[in-house]
Amino acid sequence: QQPVQSPQAVILREGEDAVINCSSSKALYSVHWYRQKHGEAPVFLMILLKGGEQKGHDKISASFNEKKQQSSLYLTASQLSYSGTYFCGTERRGGADGLTFGKGTHLIIQP
Amino acid sequence: DTGVSQNPRHKITKRGQNVTFRCDPISEHNRLYWYRQTLGQGPEFLTYFQNEAQLEKSRLLSDRFSAERPKGSFSTLEIQRTEQGDSAMYLCASSLKRASYNEQFFGPGTRLTVL
């Protein structure tokens, strides 16, 4: 089951904040977040395990609500370099599963 | 460079030809994954290896596709009798077996165009 990402696209001014959501209809073991720029490989941002943890990395953080099977990625004080497509990838069981990715959220940061 | 590498970066072929792609994972990573990505979509899982053993294959992986990882290091993905629908970016990722985490790091991909 492919996770559903929202919104599909976001346009922001530099310095504004953004939230990207990733929802699944099935119980998840973990959620992985990636950013991909045009023509490049997806770049790993962070992984969240079931248990409702929250993680942060510089001005990018994420949470995982196990009850709702939903993860959110928070981008604060966005920078031009944050532009790209953000994908969430989900695992339903622990171990070494291949990830099931959403369709992505396109983020455009304007100066 | 100690990241995941893939060769070739681009491949143009005619329908019906066979193609083979190579992936070299991060050196200490024992898990290797293949994904396919088409324009406007997220990567789709194809198959994965732990060391030399192929442990999972997606239904997307038709009989024309075969993957190997003979010595648990690099891997190859072969597509036989290519079709236009095979045109896509083929991504390889690797990860290190851990107790709880499965961070996967992607290579730059091989873009396949089938004419």
Side-chain angles (χ1 to χ4, degrees):
Chain A
Q1 288 280 352
Q2 185 177 39
V4 177
Q5 288 188 233
S6 63
Q8 288 185 319
V10 184
I11 300 175
L12 297 175
R13 293 284 183 191
E14 198 173 4
E16 292 182 337
D17 301 339
V19 180
I20 300 171
N21 298 307
C22 174
S23 298
S24 173
S25 60
K26 303 289 185 182
L28 298 175
Y29 176 79
S30 66
V31 179
H32 304 226
W33 285 98
Y34 289 82
R35 177 173 58 217
Q36 186 175 33
K37 294 184 182 286
H38 183 69
E40 299 180 9
V43 173
F44 175 78
L45 294 176
M46 62 188 75
I47 178 175
L48 300 105
L49 302 184
K50 66 178 182 179
E53 65 171 348
Q54 183 157 354
K55 278 192 172 182
H57 175 66
D58 195 12
K59 294 178 180 176
I60 300 174
S61 61
S63 63
F64 179 24
N65 186 321
E66 189 179 350
K67 289 183 180 179
K68 293 183 178 180
Q69 300 304 320
Q70 178 176 309
S71 179
S72 296
L73 185 71
Y74 308 94
L75 305 159
T76 58
S78 57
Q79 305 168 12
L80 294 175
S81 61
Y82 288 1
S83 292
T85 301
Y86 289 78
F87 292 99
C88 68
T90 58
E91 279 184 288
R92 292 190 56 199
R93 59 182 182 181
D97 279 359
L99 300 178
T100 302
F101 284 90
K103 292 189 175 183
T105 295
H106 302 284
L107 178 64
I108 298 172
I109 309 295
Q110 296 177 335
Chain B
D1 188 353
T2 56
V4 179
S5 62
Q6 292 186 246
N7 287 289
R9 294 292 307 276
H10 303 273
K11 180 70 177 178
I12 299 174
T13 191
K14 293 183 179 179
R15 189 167 49 125
Q17 298 294 306
N18 299 343
V19 294
T20 300
F21 311 139
R22 175 175 171 134
C23 171
D24 287 88
I26 295 171
S27 59
E28 66 269 25
H29 285 187
N30 59 344
R31 290 176 177 161
L32 187 149
Y33 302 79
W34 285 99
Y35 292 84
R36 179 173 67 189
Q37 186 176 27
T38 54
L39 197 61
Q41 301 295 318
E44 296 175 296
F45 169 73
L46 294 177
T47 188
Y48 102 87
F49 293 82
Q50 181 161 303
N51 300 313
E52 65 276 7
Q54 188 173 18
L55 297 185
E56 188 178 355
K57 290 195 289 187
S58 163
R59 289 173 296 169
L60 293 174
L61 210 65
S62 76
D63 292 344
R64 296 184 296 106
F65 288 68
S66 63
E68 293 183 343
R69 195 182 182 198
K71 296 183 179 179
S73 55
F74 72 92
S75 175
T76 58
L77 177 69
E78 181 183 15
I79 308 174
Q80 295 181 327
R81 306 181 301 283
T82 53
E83 302 173 355
Q84 288 185 327
D86 296 332
S87 295
M89 175 75 84
Y90 289 84
L91 294 164
C92 174
S94 69
S95 72
L96 181 63
K97 181 179 180 182
R98 294 178 187 270
S100 303
Y101 293 89
N102 183 26
E103 301 110 321
Q104 296 181 25
F105 296 93
F106 283 84
T110 294
R111 181 167 295 284
L112 173 66
T113 302
V114 181
L115 302 176

